Amino acid sequence: MSKISEHLDLSEVIRSEQAKRMGVSNMPTPEHIENMKKLAENIFEPIRNNFRVPIHISSGYRSEALNKAIGGSKTSQHSKCEAIDIDMDGSSNGVTNKMVFDYIYKNLNFDQLIWEFGTSENPDWVHVSYNSKGTQRKQALKAIRGANGTTYQTYVNKASI
């Protein structure tokens, strides 16, 4: 499969068990691949180079059909190849989701960074996006499950207060 960047293959970005089960294509367009190359250059590779271990992408590109099937947002940056979800929990290399989140938050120019659920100590996974066509919002959020669904709060880095 083709390389997106030094440490990222297209196969890692498009892998989806749900797409396989549904029999839908999850192949991005050439424009989407260009978006992913920008995300890889500005987000994925700096993370990979900082930690010097493989970085596990639990969700990358989602075709329109796949995004709809999983109930994703109609404006999801995953559908533009501008977002990845990283999940390092369970890896044996000592890198945690919190470490990845903190590194991105403190060091990278991102569009959106979400501490996805979990505890106050460690998110279940980290969502990060990079806007390929404009200014990065540097929006950091924390996703919280509630009785009425998911809500998002502005992330406050307590270590910097």
Side-chain angles (χ1 to χ4, degrees):
M1 191 69 48
S2 62
K3 292 286 248 183
I4 297 294
S5 64
E6 181 180 358
H7 298 103
L8 185 61
D9 287 326
L10 181 60
S11 63
E12 295 174 85
V13 177
I14 65 171
R15 178 182 50 239
S16 169
E17 294 304 314
Q18 183 71 17
K20 284 181 195 173
R21 282 192 291 276
M22 295 173 48
V24 299
S25 172
N26 201 39
M27 187 57 67
T29 67
E31 179 185 353
H32 290 143
I33 292 171
E34 288 306 309
N35 292 349
M36 182 52 66
K37 286 179 180 178
K38 290 175 187 174
L39 187 146
E41 175 186 344
N42 291 283
I43 303 292
F44 182 85
E45 288 297 334
I47 296 167
R48 174 66 171 78
N49 292 331
N50 178 70
F51 292 108
R52 296 191 169 119
V53 299
I55 302 300
H56 180 258
I57 296 175
S58 59
S59 181
Y61 175 69
R62 293 184 202 146
S63 66
E64 188 177 325
L66 176 60
N67 193 57
K68 185 176 180 179
I70 65 165
S73 165
K74 290 180 182 179
T75 59
S76 173
Q77 286 179 285
H78 284 281
S79 295
K80 299 178 199 172
C81 245
E82 292 182 337
I84 54 175
D85 293 342
I86 298 171
D87 189 356
M88 297 302 291
D89 286 354
S91 64
S92 60
N93 54 36
V95 177
T96 66
N97 290 337
K98 181 182 185 318
M99 291 166 69
V100 171
F101 185 96
D102 288 346
Y103 174 76
I104 296 167
Y105 184 79
K106 294 174 186 173
N107 298 286
L108 301 181
N109 189 22
F110 57 87
D111 187 49
Q112 193 175 60
L113 177 64
I114 305 175
W115 178 293
E116 295 278 5
F117 312 111
T119 67
S120 61
E121 302 300 316
N122 197 50
D124 287 342
W125 70 90
V126 175
H127 168 94
V128 61
S129 68
Y130 185 84
N131 184 350
S132 64
K133 293 183 176 47
T135 305
Q136 308 310 309
R137 293 176 286 175
K138 293 282 284 195
Q139 182 182 48
L141 303 169
K142 188 169 186 178
I144 300 166
R145 282 189 187 99
N148 297 325
T150 302
T151 58
Y152 295 90
Q153 296 177 349
T154 300
Y155 174 80
V156 178
N157 182 358
K158 294 180 175 110
S160 65
I161 297 174

